[in-house]
């Protein structure tokens, strides 16, 4: 990595140099056209290609850090800088960027870090998925080293977020997200003395001494009222759009510091970070889902909105995440999380922008006007440092940027726009996908595998056999489909884990609310969109389609249910009422599963009309054979009626595995279960009356549980259909969004987010000449009910792996230590004496 680990004096002139370079290179185009087969990572010219279809070349002098940093603050003297990372707070010298101290945490919150005035105390918000939560209080010496740590316990599970102090440091004001309150804390006694009611999911806090008010942004806006469409959010309800399911209001609560009287002020949607101007007269709040910033007069509470549109134009997703003011208050800095840039507002309008790292979320400005900007995902590196890559090798960034002049702002804006509209050489193939006559698509979403794990030993394509653990003996149908149709060896997830994976696939949009939550998802792990605060204001990828386009959803968004044939509907069941894998397997073998599974409701009620109520929810206790059987049963009904949805979305989850937990099938058996379900579904579609006009798209939701030799985002993807090429290796750069864009092209659905607008339809996989030969499913090559041995039968590392797997929380998707699971899956596949794989640097294909 060529970036500095600390800042240098040379960095002060960086913006001027970059601005001159951009202006000088404008005539020839800011970025060269990339090869159609470019891999992720650093490209010629020093720009980084991201799996979100964006380019990245941060302007600031960067310091890289392991983890996912979300917030930053400076002490009163501007000498120390504290960064809220996902596993604690890191303290740096503000002038040099040198790390001087650290206070560790099990898990930090979405935001919330502040120095207490008049003391050497640093306060930070901590939160776990199910509590308990707390405030981490670190006392620092003059150099920033931690000399004392305390924790103020908060019960039961309020989820503290933003923190601000009174000018004298006597009181702390903390947003309690799940309580829907602002906590007033006696800072010396470490006691909550009062909670003031706010709107839904309070987030960011700041104080105006001039106006005598505390201001709190409320992500969910006003509280739900009778007559409004309700959607869930962390055990509560929120007013939501009846079509998209997203929240419909945003507010800021203004609290009088003496009387605690509260007034709610309307803002844009999903207000995030807010800051009071240096004179205390204006509050700037970033509206994450309205692509705007609201300016509030601190005295009168009158508002003005400044739009900060996304690039490309006409899309939704600039995602303003936080705000900060210049020392004189003449410039407002707004982090555009979706655009990887700082927008600069002067005189009530956009004056320019500064390119940052991937998804900026925290900002602080010192007395000289120098910016510090935290970016959650750095440059997108997934390098583990040993020649292998994994999507959870998180690396964030903090940048130092001097106050920009007019030339830098103008050049930075041009570069930011160009970075959000990358150009790639054409991929070839069939340009007009609509001309193929495809009427039915089937998007099958699976769980957590890398390309090398499944296709590394294919014998063709860019694979690393050393990392292959689920080859032809476990996944014969995957191997056969990739061999018969197209092997996609340069295909990536846009996501890191399931939380954002399903959101990228369903919405092509991931809010800062989700991006900040990777430490613990303390308001809930809403990968199934069961929290309206995660939902895109543009809705889901099929919304906006012509009226004739129909959608059917199998499994995605489902809550656990049980089919009641007498009522012809599914009844709600508690997850604790689910049976064991063995019992569901027995029901499947005996053909008695139909009334024992189902989908009682959607995590997002607006989507319920689209969903199959008989298809099981996503979990790892129900065999994928039941899912395949239920889909094929409904496909049989469509055969008789001649009616089949245009867009069909299915989930298959067994390849997630349960590790080597006793009482569960072995990892290889579960991956084989998934493979057989894929083969059965493909065979069923290929032998149906709809086959000649069908396209099947198969992809993982993420690639977190495994290693790859190219990039941690590289994953398993298949395209199957009469118009898909045969026997080809396709190395064009594609990703999850490319699949969604392909579906949109087929059905004339507009791309409403920047990442879909930039996504390339997968034209190269198609041929105009159809081959409608059906597919014959390959039977499993191993027993699907091959069970992990009981703990008492094991010893050594195998016993350790089983015990660790038994301790993992498999009922809550991905609430498990991924790196540990990766090791267990490796040893289970390769033998418990096999060393965990590393590849020499010469084998690493990522360009650094």
């Amino acid at each position: 990595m060529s970036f500095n680990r600390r800042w240098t004096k040379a960095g002060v002139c960086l913006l001027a140099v970059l601005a001159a370079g951009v202006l000088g290179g404008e005539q020839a185009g800011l970025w060269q056209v990339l090869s159609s087969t470019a891999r992720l990572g650093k490209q010629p010219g020093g720009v980084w290609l991201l799996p979100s279809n964006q380019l990245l070349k941060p302007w600031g002098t960067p310091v890289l850090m392991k983890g996912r940093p979300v917030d930053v603050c400076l002490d009163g003297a501007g000498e120390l800088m504290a960064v809220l990372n996902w596993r604690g707070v890191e303290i740096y010298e503000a002038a040099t960027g040198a790390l001087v101290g650290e206070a560790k945490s099990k898990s930090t919150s979405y935001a919330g870090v502040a120095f207490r005035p008049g003391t050497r105390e640093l306060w930070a918000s901590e939160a776990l998925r199910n509590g308990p939560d707390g405030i981490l209080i670190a006392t620092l010496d003059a150099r920033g080293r931690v000399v004392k740590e305390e924790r103020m316990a908060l019960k039961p599970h309020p989820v503290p977020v933003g923190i601000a102090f009174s000018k004298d440091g006597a009181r702390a004001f903390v947003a309690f997200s799940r309580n829907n309150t602002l906590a007033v804390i006696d800072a010396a006694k470490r006691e909550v003395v009062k909670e003031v009611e706010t709107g839904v999911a309070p987030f960011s806090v700041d104080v105006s001494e001039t106006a005598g008010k505390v201001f709190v942004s409320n992500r969910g806006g006003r509280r739900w009222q009778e007559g409004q469409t309700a959607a869930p959010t962390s055990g509560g309800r929120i007013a939501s759009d009846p079509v998209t399911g997203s929240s419909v209001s945003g507010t800021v609560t203004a609290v009088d510091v003496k009387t605690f009287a509260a007034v709610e002020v309307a803002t844009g949607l999903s207000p995030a970070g807010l800051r009071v101007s240096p004179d205390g007269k204006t509050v700037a709040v970033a509206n994450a889902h309205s692509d705007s910033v609201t300016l509030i007069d601190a005295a009168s509470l009158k508002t003005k909105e400044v739009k900060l549109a996304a690039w490309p134009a006409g899309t939704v997703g600039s995602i303003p995440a936080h705000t900060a003011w210049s020392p004189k208050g003449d410039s407002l800095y707004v982090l555009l999380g979706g655009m990887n840039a700082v927008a600069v507002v002067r005189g009530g309008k956009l004056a320019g922008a500064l390119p940052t790292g991937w998804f900026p979320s925290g900002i602080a400005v010192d007395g000289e006007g120098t910016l510090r900007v935290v970016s959650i995902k750095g440059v997108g590196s997934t390098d583990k440092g040993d020649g292998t890559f994994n999507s959870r090798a998180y690396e964030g960034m903090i940048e130092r940027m001097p106050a920009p002049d007019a030339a830098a702002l103008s050049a930075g804006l041009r570069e930011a726009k160009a970075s959000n509209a990358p150009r790639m050489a054409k991929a070839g193939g069939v340009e007009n996908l609509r001309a193929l006559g495809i009427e039915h698509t089937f998007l099958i979403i699976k769980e957590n595998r890398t390309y090398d794990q499944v296709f590394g030993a294919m014998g063709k394509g860019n694979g690393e056999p050393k990392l292959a653990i689920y080859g032809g003996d476990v996944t014969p149908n995957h191997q056969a489909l990739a061999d018969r149709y197209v092997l996609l060896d340069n295909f990536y997830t846009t996501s890191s884990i399931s939380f954002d994976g399903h959101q990228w696939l369903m919405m092509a949009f991931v809010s800062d609310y989700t991006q900040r939550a990777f430490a613990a998802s303390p308001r809930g792990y809403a990968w199934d969109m069961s929290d309206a605060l995660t939902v895109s204001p543009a809705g889901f990828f099929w919304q906006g389609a012509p009226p004739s386009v129909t959608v059917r959803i199998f499994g995605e968004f489902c809550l656990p249910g049980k089919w009641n044939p007498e009522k012809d509907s599914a009844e709600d069941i508690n997850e604790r009422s689910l049976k064991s894998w063995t019992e569901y397997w027995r029901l499947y073998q005996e053909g008695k599963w139909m009334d024992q599974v189902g989908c009682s409701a959607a995590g997002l009620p607006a989507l319920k009309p689209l969903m199959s109520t008989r298809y099981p929810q996503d979990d790892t206790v129900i065999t994928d054979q039941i899912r395949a059987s239920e889909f094929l049963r409904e496909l049989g009904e469509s055969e008789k009626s001649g009616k089949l949805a245009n867009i069909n979305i299915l989930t298959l989850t067994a390849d997630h595995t349960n590790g080597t937990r006793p009482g569960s099938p072995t990892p290889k058996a579960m991956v084989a279960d998934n493979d057989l379900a894929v083969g059965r579904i493909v065979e069923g579609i290929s032998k149906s009356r709809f086959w000649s006009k069908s396209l099947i798209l198969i992809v993982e939701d993420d690639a977190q549980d495994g290693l790859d030799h190219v990039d941690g985002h590289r994953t398993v993807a298949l395209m199957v259909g009469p118009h898909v090429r045969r026997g080809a290796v396709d190395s064009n750069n594609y990703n999850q969004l490319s699949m969604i864009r392909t579906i949109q092209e087929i059905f004339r659905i507009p791309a409403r987010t920047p990442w879909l607008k930039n996504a390339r339809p997968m034209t190269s996989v198609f041929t105009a000449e159809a081959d409608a030969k059906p597919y014959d499913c390959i039977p499993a090559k191993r027993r699907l009910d091959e069970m992990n041995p009981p703990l008492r039968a094991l010893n050594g590392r195998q016993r350790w792996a089983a015990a660790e797997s038994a301790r993992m929380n498999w009922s809550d998707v991905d609430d498990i230590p991924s790196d540990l699971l990766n090791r267990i899956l490796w040893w289970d596949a390769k033998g418990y004496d096999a060393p965990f794989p590393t590849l020499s640097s010469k084998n690493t294909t990522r360009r650094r």
Side-chain angles (χ1 to χ4, degrees):
M1 183 68 68
S2 60
F3 290 150
N4 296 326
R5 290 288 174 175
R6 61 173 64 189
W7 296 319
T8 63
K9 292 182 180 179
V12 175
C13 301
L14 185 62
L15 288 192
V17 173
L18 286 169
V22 171
L23 290 169
E26 180 71 15
Q27 316 246 335
L30 291 178
W31 311 122
Q32 70 180 51
V33 177
L34 297 176
S35 164
S36 183
T37 58
R39 298 175 187 166
L40 294 189
K42 203 168 188 179
Q43 308 296 316
V47 64
W48 293 73
L49 176 63
L50 303 178
S52 54
N53 303 319
Q54 295 169 297
L55 295 174
L56 193 75
K57 192 171 186 180
W59 270 28
T61 308
V63 170
L64 295 171
M65 60 191 69
K66 295 298 181 184
R68 288 178 67 100
V70 294
D71 205 355
V72 62
C73 66
L74 293 164
D75 70 353
E79 296 174 349
L80 295 176
M81 173 181 64
V83 177
L84 187 69
N85 208 339
W86 75 325
R87 296 289 183 256
V89 183
E90 297 169 14
I91 301 99
Y92 297 83
E93 287 183 352
T96 67
L99 179 67
V100 293
E102 183 177 10
K104 292 187 178 296
S105 170
K106 285 185 178 180
S107 171
T108 58
S109 189
Y110 298 93
V113 61
F115 286 94
R116 180 184 170 198
T119 73
R120 301 298 302 176
E121 291 177 5
L122 175 64
W123 288 40
S125 290
E126 297 182 305
L128 295 171
R129 186 171 297 188
N130 299 302
D133 307 324
I135 303 293
L136 167 62
I137 303 172
T139 302
L140 313 179
D141 66 13
R143 294 182 58 186
R145 294 174 298 191
V146 177
V147 296
K148 181 182 178 182
E149 285 187 21
E150 305 170 65
R151 278 175 173 79
M152 178 181 168
L154 301 173
K155 296 181 179 180
H157 186 33
V159 183
V161 190
I163 301 173
F165 288 95
S166 58
K167 187 175 182 180
D168 60 7
R171 284 179 172 176
F173 303 99
V174 182
F176 278 5
S177 180
R178 291 189 79 246
N179 287 11
N180 297 332
T181 61
L182 172 70
V184 183
I185 298 175
D186 184 313
K189 295 181 179 179
R190 320 301 205 218
E191 292 179 358
V192 177
V193 297
K194 189 176 184 61
E195 289 189 49
V196 181
E197 288 194 356
T198 64
V200 177
F203 187 83
S204 185
V205 185
D206 205 2
V207 180
S208 169
E209 298 285 345
T210 303
K213 297 184 180 77
V214 182
F215 292 89
V216 189
S217 61
N218 303 306
R219 295 294 306 226
R222 300 189 185 279
R223 301 193 184 206
W224 174 83
Q225 297 178 345
E226 289 289 343
Q228 294 179 316
T229 301
T233 177
S234 196
R237 289 183 293 186
I238 187 174
S240 69
D241 186 284
V243 177
T244 66
S246 61
S247 60
V248 295
S249 77
T251 62
V252 163
T253 301
V255 180
D256 187 285
V257 296
K258 293 182 179 179
T259 66
F260 299 116
V263 177
E264 227 168 337
V265 182
T267 65
L269 299 177
S270 296
L274 63 74
R275 283 293 177 265
V276 174
S277 61
D279 62 8
K281 294 181 179 180
T282 307
V283 184
V285 56
N287 302 315
H289 289 191
S290 284
D291 290 359
S292 69
V293 60
T294 296
L295 304 177
I296 304 173
D297 184 293
S300 69
L301 302 183
K302 292 182 179 179
T303 64
K304 176 183 177 181
E305 186 176 41
V306 179
K307 295 298 292 183
L308 297 170
W311 311 304
T315 59
V316 175
S318 69
I319 312 183
H322 215 320
T323 62
W325 295 88
S326 62
K328 294 181 179 179
D330 53 352
S331 292
L332 173 65
Y333 300 109
V334 185
L335 298 184
L336 302 184
M339 301 289 96
N340 308 325
V342 181
V344 183
V345 176
R346 291 177 178 169
K349 62 181 181 180
L350 180 66
L354 305 172
T356 68
W358 191 3
F359 215 99
S361 64
I363 183 170
V365 181
D366 67 19
E368 297 180 352
T370 302
L371 286 65
R372 275 78 173 183
V373 177
V374 161
S375 297
I376 296 175
K377 299 192 282 188
V379 293
S381 175
T382 58
D383 191 346
K384 289 174 60 67
D386 58 10
T388 67
F389 298 80
N390 177 262
S391 71
R392 294 191 66 163
Y394 299 142
E395 186 176 69
M397 175 193 295
I398 184 161
E399 300 166 76
R400 181 176 186 266
M401 297 182 179
D405 60 18
L409 290 178
S410 178
L413 180 60
R414 283 194 294 273
E415 184 167 323
K417 288 183 176 181
S419 296
N420 283 280
R423 298 172 298 160
M424 268 191 170
K426 288 188 176 183
V430 177
E431 294 292 329
N432 184 6
L433 297 183
R434 301 168 190 169
L436 296 176
I438 296 171
E439 296 181 0
H440 307 287
T441 60
F442 304 85
L443 176 63
I444 301 176
I445 304 169
K446 304 177 338 87
E447 292 284 328
N448 299 17
R449 303 272 70 88
T450 68
Y451 177 94
D452 274 338
Q453 279 185 305
V454 178
F455 292 144
M458 273 282 289
K460 61 180 181 180
N462 183 16
E464 174 50 74
K466 293 178 181 179
L467 299 180
I469 59 177
Y470 301 125
D473 62 323
V474 180
T475 58
N477 286 289
H478 282 72
Q479 310 292 316
L481 290 169
D483 190 57
R484 177 172 175 176
Y485 292 96
V486 178
L487 176 62
L488 299 164
D489 70 348
N490 197 20
F491 186 102
Y492 305 91
T493 66
T494 314
S495 60
S496 296
I497 59 176
S498 294
F499 195 2
D500 62 333
H502 289 265
Q503 294 181 29
W504 279 119
L505 282 165
M506 294 295 99
M507 302 183 295
F509 179 100
V510 177
S511 173
D512 71 303
Y513 173 80
T514 298
Q515 299 284 11
R516 297 173 184 271
F518 274 45
S521 308
R523 286 182 59 94
Y525 193 73
W527 61 277
D528 56 0
M529 267 62 77
S530 57
D531 185 345
L533 295 182
T534 68
V535 178
S536 166
F540 295 84
F541 78 81
W542 58 85
Q543 292 175 334
S548 60
V549 176
T550 55
V551 179
R552 184 68 165 163
I553 299 172
F554 301 86
E556 188 77 16
F557 315 111
C558 270
L559 300 182
K562 183 177 177 180
W563 177 253
N564 186 328
E566 294 181 359
K567 295 182 179 180
D568 197 34
S569 64
E571 299 173 344
D572 181 47
I573 62 172
N574 190 293
E575 287 192 7
R576 288 189 291 272
S577 301
L578 292 172
K579 304 177 187 299
S580 67
W581 187 94
T582 303
E583 183 65 12
Y584 282 117
W585 178 251
R586 181 187 64 79
L587 291 168
Y588 166 68
Q589 288 183 308
E590 295 176 358
K592 298 178 180 178
W593 54 268
M594 285 77 77
D595 60 353
Q596 297 298 312
V597 299
C599 176
S600 65
L604 198 65
L607 300 179
K608 187 174 182 178
L610 306 178
M611 300 176 65
S612 162
T613 54
R614 299 183 65 170
Y615 194 91
Q617 79 281 357
D618 291 342
D619 59 36
T620 55
V621 297
I622 299 175
T623 170
D624 275 348
Q625 301 315 303
I626 288 179
R627 294 184 174 90
S629 294
E630 173 52 32
F631 171 78
L632 293 172
R633 184 201 63 78
E634 186 165 313
L635 180 63
E637 292 184 350
S638 295
E639 284 267 37
K640 296 175 184 176
S641 68
K643 296 180 181 179
L644 178 67
N646 302 111
I647 299 173
N648 298 271
I649 300 168
L650 298 78
T651 54
L652 297 173
T653 57
D655 62 334
H656 185 287
T657 84
N658 286 326
T660 57
R661 183 180 70 172
S664 290
T666 65
K668 285 186 176 181
M670 294 192 76
V671 176
D673 180 5
N674 179 267
D675 176 80
L676 181 61
V678 167
R680 290 177 60 201
I681 289 171
V682 172
E683 178 183 76
I685 296 169
S686 75
K687 294 181 179 179
S688 74
R689 64 190 292 182
F690 308 106
W691 175 234
S692 64
K693 297 182 178 180
S694 290
L695 172 66
I696 304 171
L697 311 93
I698 305 169
V699 69
E700 308 288 313
D701 71 322
D702 61 64
Q704 66 172 307
D705 287 342
L707 301 174
D708 193 86
H709 82 284
V710 173
D711 190 276
H713 297 99
R714 197 170 68 133
T715 195
V716 174
L718 295 166
M719 299 283 276
V720 178
H723 283 283
V724 176
R725 294 165 62 201
R726 301 300 172 108
V729 174
D730 191 324
S731 297
N732 284 287
N733 182 298
Y734 292 130
N735 55 35
Q736 290 173 325
L737 301 177
S738 305
M739 278 194 169
I740 303 307
R741 192 73 193 96
T742 299
I743 296 173
Q744 289 190 322
E745 280 292 296
I746 290 169
F747 295 114
R748 296 177 171 84
I749 303 172
R752 299 195 288 184
T753 71
W755 310 282
L756 270 181
K757 191 80 169 181
N758 288 330
R760 301 192 303 164
M762 299 173 68
T763 58
S764 63
V765 308
F766 294 100
T767 176
E769 299 175 358
D771 181 347
K773 181 181 178 181
Y775 176 75
D776 293 322
C777 175
I778 301 174
K781 294 186 177 182
R782 60 189 318 113
R783 286 177 49 198
L784 304 188
D785 61 350
E786 176 187 75
M787 306 300 286
N788 290 317
L791 198 62
R792 64 179 179 273
L794 305 174
N795 52 53
R797 182 179 278 175
Q798 191 174 8
R799 181 184 177 89
W800 165 85
E804 290 294 329
S805 296
R807 276 192 282 268
M808 295 178 187
N809 181 20
W810 298 100
S811 64
D812 196 345
V813 176
D814 291 344
D815 187 21
I816 52 175
S818 182
D819 187 60
L820 180 57
L821 177 60
N822 280 339
R823 292 175 182 273
I824 290 171
L825 295 180
W826 173 263
W827 285 318
D828 172 75
K830 294 292 189 178
Y832 285 88
D833 294 329
F836 194 67
T838 60
L839 302 174
S840 65
S841 58
K842 67 181 181 181
N843 290 331
T844 302
T845 58
R846 187 186 184 90
R847 289 172 291 191
R848 308 282 301 169

